[in-house]
Amino acid sequence: MGKDVIIACDFPNAEQTLTFLDRFQGQKPFVKIGMELFYGAGPDIVRQIKARGHRIFLDLKLHDIPNTVKKAMTVLRDLDVDICNLHAAGTIRMMEAAIEGLTRPDGTRPLLIAVTQLTSTDQETLEKDLLIEKPIDEVVMHYALNARKAGLDGVVCSPLEAGKVHEVCGADFLTVTPGVRFADGDVGDQKRVMTPAEAKKVGSDYIVVGRPITAAVDPVAAYERCINEFVG
Ligand code: C5P
C-alpha cells in the first residue's frame, strides 16, 4: 500500500456521513470510522460505505482477553474493512489472537495496527494513574516492538514519532498518524501537530485528517490539498 490520506468521518450518524461523502463526486477517499459513528449507526454504516467503493479504517481500538478479541476480529474481518486496530496494552498474546481471528480461510486479512499509548496520556498520568515509571517515548517504542513481534502491520502514532518507529521497527512497519493540520489552519484541541508536507518528510505512511477536511468550507478542496501535500 502506498501513502494515502484517510478522512476521519467523526459524524454522529449515517445521514451526515453519507451526505458528506456525496460531495466527493468520482473520488473515493479512504475513510476512518470511529466509535461514535459505529456505535451510533451500527455495522451497516460500514457495509454502506464499503458498497460505495471506499476503503475503510475501522478505529475501534479493541482491548479485552485474547479469546474475546479473536472472535470480535472475525466479525470485523467479515465486514471487509481494510484496516482495524487494537490497544498494544492488551499484550502480545492478545495481539496474536487478534491476527488469528482476522485471518480469512484463504490466508488474507485486513491490516492490523496498534495504539501504543494514547496521545491523551502524558508522562504524569502514565506514572500516577498507570504506575508506569519509564519515559513515555520508551513505552511507546516498546509497545510498537511488541506489536511487530505479534505480527501486526504497524501503529497509530503522532507524526513526531513516525521516524523513530521506523528506525526501531523497520521501514516497512506502517505509521498511521493523526494530528495533522494545514500551516494556515486551526490547531483546535490537537497539541503536537504537523502539516501534511511535514508528515510526508518524516515518513508517515498514512495521515488521518478530520476537521481540517470535514469542517472546511470546501471539504473536497481541503482533501485535494492534503493529497497534493502528502502524496504529491
Ligand atoms: O479532527 P482531527 O484531524 O483532529 O481528527 C483526528 C482523528 O484522529 C480523530 O478521529 C481522533 O479521534 C483520531 N486520533 C487522534 N489522536 C490519536 C488517535 C486517534 O487524533 N492519538
Side-chain angles (χ1 to χ4, degrees):
M1 285 224 205
K3 284 188 185 293
D4 211 344
V5 173
I6 302 178
I7 304 179
C9 285
D10 294 322
F11 297 107
N13 56 50
E15 193 192 346
Q16 280 185 43
T17 309
L18 297 176
T19 303
F20 170 77
L21 291 176
D22 280 342
R23 291 168 166 268
F24 293 84
Q25 295 293 328
Q27 294 186 83
K28 298 291 176 191
F30 206 135
V31 303
K32 179 172 89 72
I33 298 176
M35 291 186 202
E36 181 188 11
L37 182 58
F38 188 79
Y39 293 146
D44 208 44
I45 187 64
V46 175
R47 295 188 192 99
Q48 285 183 65
I49 295 176
K50 195 76 201 173
R52 288 172 169 227
H54 298 268
R55 281 167 299 153
I56 297 175
F57 168 20
L58 190 54
D59 179 19
L60 298 182
K61 300 185 180 73
L62 276 68
H63 187 176
D64 208 316
I65 60 170
N67 185 55
T68 302
V69 168
K70 178 178 171 177
K71 289 183 172 165
M73 283 294 179
T74 300
V75 175
L76 302 188
R77 171 194 87 188
D78 293 342
L79 278 177
D80 201 18
V81 297
D82 297 276
I83 306 181
C84 46
N85 64 354
L86 46 63
H87 275 281
T91 74
I92 293 177
R93 180 68 204 105
M94 187 202 79
M95 291 191 270
E96 288 170 346
I99 293 209
E100 283 168 33
L102 210 51
T103 306
R104 302 183 184 100
D106 68 1
T108 63
R109 63 167 173 80
L111 292 172
L112 181 61
I113 61 177
V115 174
T116 55
Q117 283 293 333
L118 292 169
T119 45
S120 50
T121 304
D122 59 14
Q123 190 67 41
E124 191 184 348
T125 46
L126 195 70
E127 287 172 19
K128 288 199 177 139
D129 295 4
L130 306 180
L131 283 184
I132 297 174
E133 295 192 343
K134 299 268 189 189
I136 193 158
D137 296 2
E138 210 178 300
V139 177
V140 166
M141 294 309 150
H142 180 68
Y143 284 22
L145 265 177
N146 282 354
R148 166 119 227 174
K149 278 183 200 154
L152 270 70
D153 305 290
V155 287
V156 184
C157 65
S158 153
L160 293 135
E161 296 162 348
K164 187 83 193 285
V165 168
H166 281 138
E167 255 173 53
V168 170
C169 298
D172 59 339
F173 196 63
L174 298 175
T175 52
V176 179
T177 63
V180 173
R181 291 293 180 266
F182 291 122
D184 53 0
D186 242 2
V187 172
D189 55 0
Q190 294 281 12
K191 294 211 166 63
R192 302 185 307 147
V193 299
M194 274 194 192
T195 65
E198 287 164 344
K200 178 182 182 175
K201 266 192 217 143
V202 298
S204 291
D205 296 289
Y206 293 89
I207 52 173
V208 176
V209 187
R211 288 159 293 178
I213 295 175
T214 56
V217 178
D218 184 345
V220 177
Y223 171 69
E224 284 168 351
R225 183 176 170 193
C226 275
I227 291 278
N228 288 337
E229 276 193 37
F230 184 66
V231 184

